[in-house]
Amino acid sequence: MNYKHIEEILTDDIAGKVVNIRGWIYRKRRVGKLIFFVLRDSTDIVQCVVDKKTAGAEKFKMLDKVGVESSITLTGTVQKEERAPTGYEVHVQNFEIVGESYNFPIGRDKSDEFLLDNRHLWMRSREMNAILKIRSTVFDALHEFFVENGYYETHGPMFVTGAVEGGSTLFEVPYFGRKAYLTQSSQFYLETLIFSLEKVFTIAPSFRAEKSRTRRHLTEYWHAEAEVAWYHNEDMMRDEERMIVHIIQRVLKDRKKELEMLNRDVEFLKNIDTPFERMKYEKIIEFANEHGLELKYGDDLGADEETFITKHFNAPVFVTHYPQEIKPFYHRPDPDNPRVVLCHDLLAPEGYGEIIGGGERIYKLEVLLRRLEEENLNPDDYFWYVDLRRYGSVPHAGFGLGVERFVWWLAGLDHIKHAIPYPRTIRRLTP
Ligand code: ATP
Ligand code: MG
């Protein structure tokens, strides 16, 4: 039997023709000797009508009895029908219930917590379906961008022995009588790989034992990271802004329907183009103060500060030249002003905040050793990272994009947990 997807049958060309479709019952009601149900599959929904005479009394009764989310295959004629939710209706000649469903737990007006407890079932919702498709397109467009621009895909290990982003958010795991950690970032490994491949990227999970409860932190997230030999801070930012615009364009082209379903302001996204504004950290502090948020030089920008600041933006903005004290040790100090480092964070507008962290890495051995010492870190723990500066070191830069952070903003979601199928947070480990 040749089945069509619902999306394919919602056209005037198919109207009047007999088709086979299959999926799940999304809504259902009986009106006398007719049963109307809305069928959904991965692509769309369509209204179907079954009349008792065609179906036969017994099958009609069976269909009447089963609940929403029963799976079903059917054969029917497509008809144009203005009043149906997607403009067409299928007059069913024959159907088969494949898997019955009774008392599906998810109905209207369930709390966020309830939906998270039942996320394995909530995945079927129209809303999740739209988010999952956008997410899939983002991964696809990321690969497309990197490969088209000469980056090689590669991978670091997930079990590691050291911190990249600070020890306080490391997850410890037992490792055959030793201690290992789950990786916070593949950056250091990517740095080793540029000495072979020059331009590398990876899309992999990163793990952070985040205790803060914000709208933007998960304990496990997908991290798109890149590292490039011979690049300086500005070179890296140029690739990043092109990458962001490339992905937005792809999503607008292929996922417009889904964005609209989520009530995302599509016009806002259409207007985003390169180059993105660059603002020094110093200027951001001034900007915040001018807009009524009291910050002083040296303060870190957390979720709340960035939410406040980026509500005033209508496109992503790079914030550069942060003070050395509030950034990890590996950032290259600015030769013109060693109090600041050659780094950048990309802040998404509309109150979302940081989606990328990146910058130039220290490439001189003596500078790296000095910075490790200043931060009270033991160079032996980083012996292989230090080695890179011993054997043919080169200037290089890189970045990390939190894929869920990006999807969260792109789809206009209220919390990052909606941007990943199974979110992991301090309180949530199931399903
Ligand atoms: P934040 O200040 O928001 O905690 P960070 O400075 O710790 O972020 P980086 O270490 O620069 O972030 O990580 C690179 C990117 O990874 C961030 O720009 C962000 O997009 C993403 N990211 C970092 N931590 C998380 C997290 N806990 N959950 C989801 N994404 C994250
Ligand atoms: Mg963090």
Side-chain angles (χ1 to χ4, degrees), residues 165 208 210 216-218 221 223 354-357 400-402 405 416:
E165 294 297 324
R208 300 197 183 183
E210 306 276 4
R216 68 182 209 181
H217 286 98
L218 296 165
Y221 70 96
H223 207 172
E354 182 182 337
I355 57 171
I356 290 181
L401 164 79
R405 289 263 179 106
I416 195 171

Side-chain angles (χ1 to χ4, degrees), residues 106-112 114-115 122:
I106 301 179
R108 275 175 209 282
D109 300 327
K110 294 291 185 188
S111 72
D112 238 22
F114 182 87
L115 296 179
W122 180 240

Side-chain angles (χ1 to χ4, degrees), residues 109-154:
D109 300 327
K110 294 291 185 188
S111 72
D112 238 22
E113 275 310 291
F114 182 87
L115 296 179
L116 285 165
D117 288 340
N118 289 280
R119 203 154 171 86
H120 54 299
L121 302 176
W122 180 240
M123 281 304 135
R124 309 167 179 211
S125 65
R126 305 273 294 143
E127 186 187 344
M128 276 316 301
N129 176 277
I131 297 171
L132 294 170
K133 283 181 186 169
I134 293 169
R135 183 181 158 96
S136 167
T137 302
V138 167
F139 276 88
D140 189 23
L142 271 168
H143 275 104
E144 192 175 65
F145 176 85
F146 282 127
V147 172
E148 276 174 9
N149 286 279
Y151 286 78
Y152 291 97
E153 182 163 18
T154 182

Side-chain angles (χ1 to χ4, degrees), residues 228-275:
V228 188
W230 312 105
Y231 263 29
H232 293 280
N233 204 29
E234 178 58 32
D235 305 314
M236 199 66 263
M237 286 190 277
R238 269 201 292 268
D239 274 13
E240 286 164 41
E241 62 193 1
R242 285 178 45 237
M243 173 187 80
I244 296 291
V245 171
H246 172 80
I247 301 171
I248 293 174
Q249 291 304 328
R250 259 298 299 278
V251 170
L252 284 171
K253 179 161 89 61
D254 298 346
R255 298 291 162 223
K256 189 151 171 279
K257 189 169 95 180
E258 286 75 17
L259 289 171
E260 280 166 354
M261 216 214 99
L262 297 168
N263 295 318
R264 181 61 167 116
D265 183 349
V266 172
E267 289 307 311
F268 184 91
L269 295 175
K270 272 191 194 153
N271 288 326
I272 293 173
D273 204 356
T274 58

